[in-house]
Amino acid sequence: TAKGELRTSSIFRAIVKMFSDLRFQIINPKDDFICPITLEPFKDPVILVDDGRIYERAAIEEWLEGHDLNLLTNLPLKTKELRPATDLKNKLKAMATEEGLRAAASRFMEFYLFELCFGATGKDVKESKLIVDFVAMLAGKKLKEMRKTAVDVVPSDAGKSFLLRKILELPDPKLKGKATEMIHKVMAMTVKKAKYLGTNLCVNYASVQEQIFAEKTLTVGDALAVMPELTSALDQLEFQFKGKNSHPVEKVLTTIAKLRHVIVIFANGIDQVLQATEDKKEEKTKAQALKPDVLKLSKALEPVFQSKATMVRSLRMFLLKNLERSRGVSFLRSAMLVSPLSECKWLKDWKNTSEPGLIRFLGSNKLPNTNPFKAQSLFSDVHVALSTGLDPKTSGFKELEAICTQTFTQKKESIPALKGALLAAIFHECYLLKVLEDVPAATRNQIKKLAAWVKSSPNLAFLSAQEREFIAFFAWEEAANGFLLQLTPESKTEDIVLFRVLVHVAVAALSSAENSLPRFFYGLIFKPETCVNKWLPCMLEDAQAMAVRILGGRWYKCSNGHAYFVDKCGRPTVVQKCATCGVKIGGLNHNLLPGQVDLDSGLEGNTNYSQKTKALDKSEPNYCLKEAKEESAPFETVRSMTPISDRSQRLLMHCALLAGSIVSGKTWVKRVTKLFNKTISAKAHKNTAGFLADHIRGDWKVLTKLVRKSPDDVGILLHSLLNDLVLPNKQVATNTIPPMLVEAKKPPVQGIHSWVVLDTIPKRNAFETHFGKNNVDVVFDSKNMAPRLEASQKLFAQDSEDGAQVFTQELMEKSDIKIMPASMRQEHSPALWRYRSPFSLEDFTMELNLSEDNKANFPVLSAFLSSEKNLQALQYFPAAIEFQTLLLQKFNRALTKEAAQKLTIGQAISKASDKKRWRDAFQGYVQAWNLGWKFVERFTCLEIPDMYKKFSIDEKTPITMVLPQEKDEGICGLGIMNYLSRRHNQFVEIIYEKLLLRGQELQRNSSRKNVVSSKFFSVAHTLKYDLEGKFVPFVAKQCVSIGDDGATIYNFNNAEQYLLDVFFVGKPLVEMELRMVQYTDDEGAVNTLLLKEKVDQEPLTREEQKQILNELGSPAMAHKAMRLLETCISFLQATGGSYIQKIGVGDKFLIEYVKDVLLMKDVDFGSHTIQSKIKLKHIDSLWKTLRDFTVKDPFENVHARYKEVLGADEGKRLQQDAKGLDLETLVPTMQELIIQRLIEPQTSASAPIADFIGWAPVGDNYMNEMEWFKHFPKGIQMQYIVDVYKLLSESFTQNE
């Protein structure tokens, strides 16, 4: 079918019918899936043969064990036989696939509607009948092809609005006119029938008009410019549902849409003006510049908010909703009490109506209208007694004294609760008054008396001196050292919310028993010195222990004590360099090099495979966080804590630390800075209070971002958490915590049975687990957060705030519009004035990453969104490969290193025959470099030097920066290609894992088709995607819905499946086969150790070696053959990467490999023997033969330390000892070890040669295990090894 023919009504209806029929077959709504016994959905349904009914197996079996009568009929059972309910089981399985069908339908319709019908070729859509179907669908009508179980092909409001806009913006003027007219008519009909404006189609139409208007109206100035037009159209809001209207529905909706956006701009302006802080000068400057226009817009909106239209209350509430969603209820209340809102006539008039809900919600000041301490034990009694004592008419605090005395003498177990209640009541009743401009003198006087009473009353003998001082501070007593976060009349509402959390930390600390987790905060506030050299939660992880935990595998230490790990079997198969000190690490044939030891002493000497290292946690004690601005990454956590758990514990800990400054006076800085490690910020020592205050604000900002709630709501949840933590059932015994694991020969450290100090690492870990996983994660669980928040708000509400709660419920849109009376929907048009949160990919990502279950269930989506910046370079991977290949083909072994360093990329391109191909490939390489290089830290164990980390690539760059080599600048070209291949393969592995779990095994292990060589890697194989153009619009349209309570609901499954279907399914792993560059002055640079790990090698006979050299005739011909051989070795070493070991190609002829695999057709090695007899298993021996023939001194690059001449007598003894040695094995092995391991002076000159060569592999054994090796002299030192080799080589030649 031609593409255009698919855009017809008949095709569209056929698609809808197909999905409708599929769903009808999957689930028939008449079927009953509920067990008559359990009244729960079936899990394992069975048929009772006696009556033919279906029951849950476990339930009916339990009944039959004790009864002989039928459960439902009460008649005697003829049989107790049960049979599987196969048909119902199949239907239950089908129900599980229903969501999959919905997702598939939405993705298919996404393509049909927005790619085919309204994509790049949308101008070709001609059929008006298809548009009629779309409009009918948007109006909520079902096509005749749809069953009752039809799948909603455009389920989200965003998707419907997007489709409607596409129809309204059809490129064909004639079709567009007809479609627009039809939409207007259908809207009028739906309004007439419903008798209210907020029908589904009308809401979507208004949403589209708001989008169009918003694209042109961006600033407060833009909004001011359109206000005259909107003011003149206010009569349109007085829509009549009886009789004829002077304004059509579409005009009314367009005006509402424009007013909505102007109100949004006004709310944002108020937010910016009121939230500008003194310490952020740039923010304050912008706010001051904006304020005059905000005041003008406020004045211009007066007629709007004073309109006589019945929906005017909805307009006002819409403004309040925007302000509340921005900063929370407290901010809204505060904003309504200050300019510009406090000066608005419409708000004054609204107050004058004496609407109870508004008046109680607003209050007369910015004091909080909730009290989170109401749930505190003894708070109610203490609060009442305190209120009585503060009354100027009473004499003293007798009722309070009575409570204290009774508790102290009769209920000593309640003393901690009394301390907390006393602090909470004094804070709530007294300290909060500091935010008011004017506090009556009589009240001030009573508070002063209260402070004196707290400090001196004998009835408070249960308080320590520090506790008295601390509580007295909240009775307006000045702290000796001052206090940085004190409340004042200038404090913003968010300051009050945050400060109240700080106080609640102290309340919980005072209220808690020794076994309660908040007792830890008590130590930080009142006894910080006891925490010195102890552990704190959320501090940095021991990097080594973290690496072992995350990477797994088996870990070793190099000869200088630096750690490295070996994955797969856990035993080394390759020799590399230590990233820290550069010494050789690893080993060959699963055997460690001399000097290497296990990181885990428990594995020392264990040569078994697949052993896992257990690392000793050596994380530092004390406080070791950097400045707040450097700790702002929301998802960086330690020890597998969730981001919210980590940030919550940090916030509460910092609050406790800063609260301690109230009581410690001038000694506080000295006492608390002992907790700080010397390596952290200087500000922590110079301005300790400022350092901690910055952290509190920073933690608060990150936490509100993570939770995705207003500051008010986050505060309420934290108060709920702290209330829970002091409950008796939340106490956690510490005697079950294991002692600290320590190094051998040191005794274990036992912890005391209290949480005041975390004196061992296991205790710190236990605290984080109990506090985080068992408490924070429960409170902030996204599934249960909304009901907990609602319950807490009701619990914390003041007794006189019932009316305010009703108003708040309306503000939060808790009512379901669908069940509202038609008269209310007609009068207020609530659906048109509902708050619509704009889609945010950041918010979507936050919600996904907050739950560990989400990460496990949607691994591809999670990995994509969390590492999208790291993936951007991968689309340029093929071009990067091509450019590096072009350079290698042209310049490998064609230039000296010095000449290559002088040749720029631009000069190389100018000399190319196909300049366009070179330039296109280079542009792709530059893009890959710019997007990927910043993430490259090292290549395997080679760390990228600092001088290269900020390097940029352009045509002036030397080609040596691109040509790959394991030294100097060559590691840059090597590093970027390794990064691209590793990132690609890591992500593809995640995709494969997802498909395996979903039952879509791609059988990559049984077929090579899903592993592509880098030589054939193309654009089709890349992980290329369109984030902003395709993925984000799809998620916004198809993966977002709004619940009845107004909450945003995300469909992560649909989003992940879209990523797989559209961008990532079928992508192969890449096998890197790029060879290293060889410069003409790099003699002997090829290292064949890795080759032996890939292909088993056999030596050439002496006769074969002589025949090859005779056929070549000259060093020049041998040199030419070496160049070809180097190419083979490079590719063989790269082949298989981490997927292949010991590839079985040793018996393949060398010439066949060169022609068939390397695709080098016309190759001549210059030797008939090489062409006809040499196989890949001989390549190592052939290379050494050619090298020795062409290189005058094979030891030219060996360090001078090892070239001392052996004395004449020692030389004679050595030649005598040589008679007992296997020189045919020893001599070539020694030569290879000297050439490849003694370039740098890493081995001591005085070390015995026997130890150095003794661990060299000989077949399946080591040389020191061979019987003949006992004749090798044990006392000769490494400084003579070159001379020893020459003497032994002479003996070997003479013996031949």
Side-chain angles (χ1 to χ4, degrees), residues 1059-1073:
L1059 277 178
L1060 290 169
D1061 291 347
V1062 177
F1063 300 123
F1064 297 143
V1065 162
K1067 302 300 181 183
L1069 297 161
V1070 61
E1071 210 60 88
M1072 288 305 295
E1073 296 189 81

Side-chain angles (χ1 to χ4, degrees), residues 135-155:
V135 174
M137 182 178 65
L138 290 171
K141 297 180 180 179
K142 290 188 180 295
L143 307 176
K144 65 180 182 180
E145 287 80 6
M146 301 170 97
R147 293 177 181 264
K148 289 183 179 180
T149 54
V151 173
D152 190 349
V153 293
V154 189

Side-chain angles (χ1 to χ4, degrees), residues 53 96 109 240 297 324 438 523-524 576 602 718 775 974 981 1144:
R53 290 188 173 90
M109 293 309 297
Q240 301 295 320
L297 185 57
E324 188 281 329
D438 296 307
L524 296 181
Q576 293 183 330
L718 286 172
N775 290 282
L974 203 57
S981 62

Side-chain angles (χ1 to χ4, degrees), residues 777-791:
D777 291 347
V778 172
V779 170
F780 287 92
D781 175 42
S782 57
K783 296 178 182 177
N784 301 313
M785 193 187 300
R788 174 179 276 269
L789 189 57
E790 187 172 353

Side-chain angles (χ1 to χ4, degrees), residues 1099-1109 1169 1173 1178:
L1100 294 170
T1101 65
R1102 297 290 291 179
E1103 289 73 19
E1104 288 172 329
Q1105 292 177 14
K1106 291 177 181 178
Q1107 187 175 355
I1108 289 170
L1109 294 179
T1169 302
K1173 295 183 178 180
H1178 302 128

Side-chain angles (χ1 to χ4, degrees), residues 2-18:
K3 190 174 182 181
E5 295 175 10
L6 293 175
R7 300 181 187 85
T8 64
S9 175
S10 58
I11 292 294
F12 174 66
R13 288 173 178 248
I15 293 170
V16 172
K17 186 176 187 301
M18 173 186 69

Side-chain angles (χ1 to χ4, degrees), residues 1041-1070:
S1041 58
I1042 305 299
D1044 292 338
D1045 60 352
T1048 302
I1049 302 169
Y1050 293 124
N1051 188 330
F1052 298 123
N1053 183 64
N1054 208 13
E1056 182 174 74
Q1057 193 57 48
Y1058 179 82
L1059 277 178
L1060 290 169
D1061 291 347
V1062 177
F1063 300 123
F1064 297 143
V1065 162
K1067 302 300 181 183
L1069 297 161
V1070 61

